[in-house]
Amino acid sequence: MIQSLSPKARTAGLAGILALAMTGLGFAAVPLYDLFCRVTGFGGTTQRYDAAAAAAEPEILSQTISVRFDANVSPRLPWTFYPEHPTDTVSIGARDMAIFIAENNSAAPVVGTASFNVTPTQAGKYFTKIQCFCFTEQRLEPGQQVRMPVLFFVDPAIVDDPDARDVQEITLSYTFHPVDEGKKAS
C-alpha cells in the first residue's frame, strides 16, 4: 500500500510520523532524565529511601564522613531559611537527622517547594534521604517559623566506589522556590 503512494505523499507521511515520534520523546524526556539521575546519582541527585524495597538496614561502618548543609532562598520567596547546624559528622551507614529552619517574613501565607542536590556529584547516589521536607510543598503562614527535619544516611557502598571512596565531605544543598499561584500546599 505504501508503495502505491507518490514519493511526495510517502515523504509527507514519514515526516508526520517523525514529528509525532519527536513530540512523544519531548514529553518523555523529563521523566526519563529524572529516572536516569535517580538511578545514577547524576548531577548530585540523591536517592530516596524505599522501606518496602529495602531488604535490610545498611551496615554501620566505623568510618565517618562530614556532611555540610547549605540553604538558599529564591529572591522571589520572602522566607528566611537556614540549617540549625551547618555541619555534622556521621557514621557511614547510620541514620542521622538534620534540622532546617524556615520563616515566612511576609504578611501573607506563602507556599514554597525545595529543590536539592548533593556535591560532590559522585556522592549523590550514596546519599539517601528517608524523610525530607523537600518531598512536599511547605505552606507557611505570615510570620510562622518551622523546624523541618531531614532523615538520611550515607550508603556504605560509597567506600567501595573508586570514584567516591576518598570523599571526606558531602554537601546537601537546598533552594526554596515559591510555588506558582493557583497551586495548593500538600
Side-chain angles (χ1 to χ4, degrees):
M1 174 163 174
I2 229 172
Q3 292 179 356
S4 65
L5 297 175
S6 72
K8 287 183 181 180
R10 272 196 307 254
T11 302
L14 289 173
I17 290 170
L18 182 62
L20 286 173
M22 295 301 284
T23 301
L25 281 174
F27 281 106
V30 172
L32 289 174
Y33 181 74
D34 182 57
L35 177 63
F36 171 77
C37 289
R38 291 196 183 282
V39 168
T40 64
F42 182 75
T45 303
T46 64
Q47 302 302 304
R48 188 169 177 177
Y49 185 73
D50 182 0
E57 292 298 312
E59 175 188 2
I60 298 173
L61 305 179
S62 60
Q63 294 169 268
T64 60
I65 194 162
S66 176
V67 180
R68 190 174 76 79
F69 304 103
D70 179 52
N72 305 282
V73 180
S74 164
R76 299 182 310 123
L77 187 67
W79 287 10
T80 303
F81 175 58
Y82 58 93
E84 188 172 67
H85 301 285
T87 60
D88 194 5
T89 300
V90 300
S91 294
I92 295 175
R95 290 183 181 197
D96 202 40
M97 180 169 64
I99 302 289
F100 285 79
I101 311 293
E103 183 176 0
N104 180 357
N105 300 317
S106 76
V110 179
V111 179
T113 188
S115 59
F116 57 88
N117 71 358
V118 169
T119 55
T121 56
Q122 67 267 31
K125 65 182 175 181
Y126 301 108
F127 194 94
T128 303
K129 290 190 282 183
I130 301 165
Q131 179 183 339
C132 182
F133 57 85
C134 62
F135 297 157
T136 59
E137 295 174 353
Q138 303 298 317
R139 177 187 172 96
L140 297 183
E141 297 300 321
Q144 181 182 13
Q145 184 181 77
V146 295
R147 298 177 79 233
M148 299 182 294
V150 178
L151 293 167
F152 66 92
F153 67 91
V154 178
D155 190 324
I158 194 170
V159 299
D160 298 324
D161 184 337
D163 293 328
R165 67 175 163 223
D166 295 327
V167 171
Q168 298 297 311
E169 180 179 77
I170 296 175
T171 299
L172 175 61
S173 181
Y174 289 99
T175 301
F176 255 105
H177 305 275
V179 172
D180 294 337
E181 292 194 27
K183 282 185 108 179
K184 303 260 187 221
S186 302

